[in-house]
Amino acid sequence: MNILLTGGTGYIGSHTAVVLAQAGHQIVLLDNLSNSDISVLARVKALTRSHIAFVHGDVRNQELVHKVLMDHHIDAVIHFAGVKAVGESVEQPLRYYDINVGGTLSLLKAMRHARVFTLVFSSSSTVYGNPQYLPIDEDHPTRCTNPYGRSKLHVEEMLADLAAADPHWRIALLRYFNPIGAHDSGLIGEDPNDIPNNLVPYIARVAAGKLECLRVFGNDYPTPDGTGVRDYIHVVDLAEGHMAALQALARTNQSLHVYNLGTGQGYSVLEVVRAFEQASGKTIPYHIAPRRAGDIATCYAQAARAEAALGWKAQRTLQDMCASAWKFQASLVLE
Ligand code: NAD
Ligand code: UFG
């Protein structure tokens, strides 16, 4: 297949590009490089020994996206491009709606014009809000508490309307839980430009001596050790989930599919700290800080639907996630 990955030089996009190219697909990456570096392209090419086309551009540029779809005879699109920082979305809601909702709307118009009807969309477990029950299955009610989450939910609703209106479409909404880790090679991984918001990139920088101390946001949650529990999923498992979703869309008669991509297993902040210490051989200094506004106690997936329908199941352990994240972080120190 010829597959366009918007946001393809980003964290999840680059890992997905590697998995798809290694399976023999022709890959085109479109990215405006607002949150990734062009050096990722050479790394993806080196890992896959494949030709990977790159287009520097904005997903909101409908004319450009249409041209890319036509020029490369694209069969399917995976739409990663977007902005994802919860705190920033509270301060800049219009930017979030513009890029995440406006960007998707523009992409969909370009796809319809080019008669490309297969789409995999990067959604998030954040659409479930504060869990009403656990594990969270796909029928759990959706309710968002911040503009980032609402932008994902708006897109999900837009895609459901589109699928209902036009039977040509084949759309998979993938609700990711907490992607962490890196490619085994250590060549690609997650390296945010600013001080990381997320737990594992932050721990990795503490282990590398680039940040002093981890703040553990709260130890009084109703969890076994009082710290927040999340469903961490290895980014390469997640990437493989995208390939499984594309394969399933090729054989289905239904227009819309919704899948959780998680492991079904929750780990606390302190369990992740210990796993990272083991993987890196470094001590991670931390102190207990107040709860972070908007955080929930516990979140993990019911992952059975993806396993049954996609034949996909996350394989990699927390140790694998921490070891690969550390390998990538250590390679950055050497650069
Ligand atoms: P990322 O920031 O590493 O990747 C996003 C890529 O999109 C970046 O390379 C960025 O330069 C590009 N981009 C942003 N705006 C663009 C635009 N207007 N036009 C073209 N390119 C643009 O983020 P990621 O972690 O790889 O996330 C990918 C997707 O998955 C996002 O939609 C995100 O909301 C979603 N998601 C991520 C997580 C997570 O924890 N990483 C969890 C759930 C959902
Ligand atoms: N945490 C800390 N210290 C830190 C960072 C995080 O203690 O410096 C804790 C949090 O309080 C939480 C856990 O580590 O208990 C995980 O936090 P992350 O920020 O890594 O992840 P979240 O679950 O808060 O949210 C992430 C993304 C969301 C996405 C969600 C589900 O930021 O955008 O995963 O995919 F929606």
Side-chain angles (χ1 to χ4, degrees):
M1 266 201 278
N2 298 329
I3 306 168
L4 172 65
L5 274 57
T6 72
T9 47
Y11 172 48
I12 304 169
S14 57
H15 289 82
T16 306
V18 169
V19 165
L20 292 170
Q22 283 176 338
H25 297 291
Q26 304 301 313
I27 303 302
V28 181
L29 309 180
L30 173 107
D31 205 297
N32 67 0
L33 300 178
S34 57
N35 197 38
S36 54
D37 194 273
I38 190 62
S39 60
V40 168
L41 179 63
R43 290 163 181 244
V44 172
K45 285 181 179 171
L47 280 171
T48 58
R49 296 202 183 104
S50 318
H51 172 73
I52 308 279
F54 176 73
V55 180
H56 185 195
D58 197 296
V59 73
R60 291 167 293 182
N61 184 342
Q62 196 177 318
E63 223 170 281
L64 171 72
V65 174
H66 179 259
K67 185 173 170 0
V68 172
L69 294 170
M70 299 302 288
D71 287 354
H72 293 272
H73 307 286
I74 295 295
D75 302 301
V77 177
I78 309 184
H79 182 34
F80 296 104
V83 277
K84 59 170 186 174
V86 172
E88 189 183 65
S89 79
V90 175
E91 284 152 24
Q92 304 175 30
L94 291 185
R95 179 161 174 260
Y96 273 67
Y97 290 119
D98 185 20
I99 297 173
N100 290 358
V101 181
T104 308
L105 181 59
S106 179
L107 169 69
L108 291 171
K109 289 198 256 182
M111 287 176 68
R112 188 179 55 184
H113 188 199
R115 302 195 63 76
V116 177
F117 292 113
T118 301
L119 176 71
V120 174
F121 173 64
S122 295
S123 190
S124 167
S125 62
T126 196
V127 299
Y128 296 119
N130 203 350
Q132 293 176 17
Y133 57 84
L134 290 163
I136 301 176
D137 59 27
E138 289 85 350
D139 297 324
H140 186 287
T142 49
R143 187 176 163 275
C144 291
T145 52
N146 58 70
Y148 166 68
R150 274 190 287 276
S151 74
K152 289 289 174 191
L153 201 49
H154 287 338
V155 171
E156 286 203 3
E157 288 167 349
M158 197 159 76
L159 292 172
D161 287 341
L162 185 60
D166 182 347
H168 286 103
W169 286 91
R170 294 289 177 273
I171 298 171
L173 310 181
L174 303 185
R175 293 175 177 161
Y176 312 156
F177 280 68
N178 287 54
I180 63 168
H183 192 266
D184 268 350
S185 62
L187 272 182
I188 54 173
E190 186 173 20
D191 184 30
N193 290 335
D194 302 322
I195 295 182
N197 292 308
N198 297 118
L199 180 64
V200 170
Y202 200 103
I203 291 179
R205 288 198 191 177
V206 173
K210 291 180 175 173
L211 289 170
E212 241 171 58
C213 183
L214 171 72
R215 288 169 301 164
V216 174
F217 295 136
N219 67 348
D220 57 354
Y221 285 107
T223 61
D225 65 17
T227 67
V229 169
R230 296 291 183 277
D231 184 337
Y232 297 95
I233 174 168
H234 196 300
V235 68
V236 177
D237 277 326
L238 191 67
E240 289 169 357
H242 289 74
M243 190 161 74
L246 277 178
Q247 286 162 347
L249 287 180
R251 54 175 193 257
T252 181
N253 293 323
Q254 269 180 40
S255 289
L256 187 76
H257 301 261
V258 183
Y259 299 109
N260 283 342
L261 295 188
T263 64
Q265 161 95 47
Y267 289 102
S268 74
V269 174
L270 294 182
E271 284 175 315
V272 176
V273 168
R274 279 192 289 275
F276 207 96
E277 285 184 330
Q278 225 171 30
S280 63
K282 306 275 181 189
T283 302
I284 313 292
Y286 67 84
H287 68 268
I288 305 298
R291 290 183 177 192
R292 184 171 64 178
D295 269 359
I296 54 179
T298 303
C299 175
Y300 55 89
Q302 166 60 263
R305 184 187 286 181
E307 187 177 355
L310 307 180
W312 168 90
K313 190 172 190 279
Q315 305 289 341
R316 295 163 179 86
T317 64
L318 182 63
Q319 275 307 321
D320 298 331
M321 302 179 212
C322 292
S324 58
W326 174 240
K327 188 168 182 185
F328 175 67
Q329 180 65 50
S331 77
L332 295 175
V333 176
L334 293 174
E335 271 179 357

